[in-house]
Amino acid sequence: MSLNEKTADVGLKELATSSNSISSTDVEFESNNFFNNIDRTHGASSLMTYFNVVCVVAGTGILGLPMALRQGGWIGLLILFLSWTMSTYTASILIRCLYATDKGRLATYKAIATTAFGAIGGWVTFFFNTWIMLGVPVLYLVLCGSNINALAAGTPAELGATTWTIICAASLAIPYALVKTMKEVAWMSAFGVVTIVVVVFIVLIMCAIDKPNQINVHHDVVIWEMFPIALSTISFSFGGNVIYPHVEASMKRPKDWNKVVAAGLATCAAMYYIIAISGYLVYGDEAESPIYNSIPDGVPKITGIVMITLSVLVSAPLLMTSFSLDIEEMFNITVERHGKVKELLIRAVLRIVTMVGVTVIACVVPYFGALMSLIGAFANCTLIFLFPVILYLKLTGVRNKPFYELAWCFLVCLMGIVGLIFGTIEAVKELIAAYSS
């Protein structure tokens, strides 16, 4: 066993014994200078970190959950529970991996994979990370542009979806270029969480109002032929791992990470259950995605569209900021190296170039949504379920784990593999259909 593995085993024995393992070894970490490579003096509070987690995880996927139940039946609620508990576990062990060497805290997901499996493992992880951190904002900008243009239909503000996509990107460019850490975008996350909660209540209330009008609605306990598709859809609903290393780095009290991420994902799960149950219960086999297309036309529906548009608009900078922090870490773009002014200029230029690239893709690349589904099937399942478990066992050892934890790790990997296989199959079908048309 190498020196790093021995150190990881010793330093992480207590981490594997409790759900608040980071908290339980906080004194030991600080005494060994594990946090010295990050200035946490002005870090974000645990509450603001909670908002970051909820905002980036909830996203637009919440509105497709009734459709997932329509595809797979009520058993989807069990899959939702498993996805929630498994993603909470992988969020915890991923952060443990940051502290699994004797060289202090690792900075990024890529650094963890590089430490465990060398340069190839690091670059594979970086590719999947990048696809999610930049690909999802592309889809968000497209959604915002089309939503705003649809809301403006028949008015002078109907400028076209592409024009509105560019306007949305321009409105995000300045704050994205100027903010430096995840702490500085936390206020946007707080606003995003409020908009998501408003959408949840709108859907819940409108479903209750519209229920007497829905007759002969059919429900299924399980639809086996469509079950794998529903599983892959639901399993993607907790995909925040790509930004967790940077979110944790922005915390003033990193020992609170386990509690914060558990609370954030529990909040997302609660909203998911409200939307999924109310939407499928009322509309059954006629539930649409997004679910607000099923509710009656009127002010509530328009408000819901506006709120979800604002939500994804403020979620995009979270993912892009995480990508930029990875790049700045790789090229050592720091104040210590370049000075305050030069560092700001370099950072601003890189981020503006990134925003331009994302905007161009959103405006001109055909069938990007179908291509995103294909790579997203790989990226989400590997980054949420597979990689955290594999990296954790590689860096901290297998023999020192109790049997029940290894069994749980096996189930988490199995969930990832099933979602990966069937998600890829459906994404290939979608891509073929898009190009055939």
Side-chain angles (χ1 to χ4, degrees):
M1 183 181 288
S2 67
L3 175 61
N4 280 358
E5 288 173 325
K6 289 180 180 178
T7 304
D9 285 344
V10 173
L12 289 169
K13 278 181 181 178
E14 294 185 22
L15 288 175
T17 62
S18 70
S19 60
N20 291 321
S21 51
I22 290 178
S23 177
S24 66
T25 57
D26 183 50
V27 175
E28 178 184 346
F29 279 147
E30 291 185 356
S31 65
N32 287 295
N33 298 317
F34 274 82
F35 294 147
N36 282 358
N37 58 341
I38 299 177
D39 181 11
R40 299 181 184 269
T41 306
H42 303 291
S45 67
S46 296
L47 178 62
M48 298 311 291
T49 303
Y50 161 84
F51 286 135
N52 275 338
V53 171
V54 176
C55 185
V56 77
V57 171
T60 57
I62 188 174
L63 299 177
L65 290 174
M67 171 64 83
L69 294 188
R70 170 183 170 180
Q71 293 172 326
W74 285 115
I75 198 173
L77 297 179
L78 173 61
I79 302 303
L80 184 58
F81 175 80
L82 290 175
S83 298
W84 164 34
T85 53
M86 289 177 176
S87 62
T88 302
Y89 174 73
T90 59
S92 175
I93 63 175
L94 179 64
I95 299 305
R96 297 183 198 183
C97 290
L98 294 174
Y99 300 95
T101 76
D102 58 349
K103 298 180 181 179
R105 183 189 187 276
L106 299 173
T108 64
Y109 208 145
K110 176 180 179 292
I112 297 173
T114 300
T115 302
F117 294 105
I120 294 178
W123 285 112
V124 169
T125 302
F126 179 75
F127 170 78
F128 286 139
N129 250 17
T130 300
W131 190 266
I132 297 299
M133 289 188 291
L134 295 185
V136 172
V138 168
L139 297 181
Y140 281 178
L141 287 177
V142 172
L143 176 65
C144 290
S146 60
N147 278 359
I148 295 174
N149 193 63
L151 290 172
T155 72
E158 188 180 0
L159 305 176
T162 299
T163 301
W164 274 113
T165 297
I166 295 172
I167 293 173
C168 290
S171 68
L172 296 177
I174 294 178
Y176 167 60
L178 294 180
V179 299
K180 187 172 183 178
T181 67
M182 298 300 292
K183 174 196 173 184
E184 294 166 357
V185 294
W187 64 271
M188 300 177 70
S189 299
F191 176 75
V193 171
V194 171
T195 61
I196 294 172
V197 171
V198 170
V199 171
V200 170
F201 276 104
I202 288 175
V203 171
L204 177 62
I205 293 170
M206 293 308 299
C207 284
I209 294 174
D210 199 32
K211 190 177 189 308
N213 301 322
Q214 304 303 314
I215 56 176
N216 299 323
V217 173
H218 179 71
H219 304 90
D220 293 283
V221 176
V222 58
I223 305 174
W224 290 114
E225 61 270 23
M226 296 294 288
F227 174 74
I229 302 173
L231 186 152
S232 61
T233 300
I234 294 170
S235 65
F236 295 160
S237 301
F238 293 92
N241 285 16
V242 292
I243 73 164
Y244 287 162
H246 294 301
V247 172
E248 191 269 351
S250 70
M251 293 181 70
K252 189 170 186 177
R253 292 172 55 85
K255 67 179 184 178
D256 290 343
W257 170 254
N258 280 359
K259 292 182 288 186
V260 169
V261 75
L265 294 180
T267 301
C268 293
M271 293 191 293
Y272 288 173
Y273 272 110
I274 291 172
I275 291 288
I277 293 173
S278 61
Y280 186 57
L281 180 65
V282 174
Y283 299 105
D285 56 350
E286 296 181 359
E288 298 183 40
S289 179
I291 189 60
Y292 56 63
N293 285 338
S294 294
I295 67 177
D297 292 334
V299 174
K301 182 175 181 177
I302 294 174
T303 303
I305 295 174
V306 171
M307 289 294 104
I308 204 65
T309 301
L310 292 174
S311 174
V312 300
L313 196 61
V314 299
S315 297
L318 291 175
L319 293 160
M320 296 178 67
T321 298
S322 187
F323 167 78
S324 296
L325 291 172
D326 277 356
I327 297 298
E328 291 156 19
E329 172 72 22
M330 290 169 57
F331 291 98
N332 193 26
I333 301 173
T334 62
V335 173
E336 291 76 16
R337 181 184 178 189
H338 298 288
K340 288 186 178 181
V341 176
K342 189 175 180 181
E343 185 268 347
L344 175 60
L345 290 175
I346 295 173
R347 173 160 47 88
V349 169
L350 284 175
R351 296 193 181 198
I352 289 174
V353 169
T354 301
M355 179 61 79
V356 170
V358 166
T359 306
V360 169
I361 294 173
C363 293
V364 304
V365 174
Y367 312 124
F368 182 81
L371 184 60
M372 179 68 194
S373 296
L374 177 59
I375 306 299
F378 281 93
N380 272 298
C381 284
T382 53
L383 295 174
I384 299 169
F385 299 112
L386 294 176
F387 283 2
V389 172
I390 294 171
L391 295 173
Y392 173 57
L393 295 178
K394 172 67 173 177
L395 291 174
T396 68
V398 176
R399 294 181 179 179
N400 59 349
K401 304 295 185 297
F403 171 77
Y404 61 82
E405 184 173 10
L406 293 177
W408 180 246
C409 288
F410 172 78
L411 290 177
V412 173
C413 289
L414 182 62
M415 171 76 89
I417 292 171
V418 172
L420 173 64
I421 292 173
F422 290 100
T424 300
I425 291 173
E426 290 307 308
V428 169
K429 291 180 180 178
E430 181 184 350
L431 195 61
I432 292 174
Y435 278 96
S436 298
S437 62

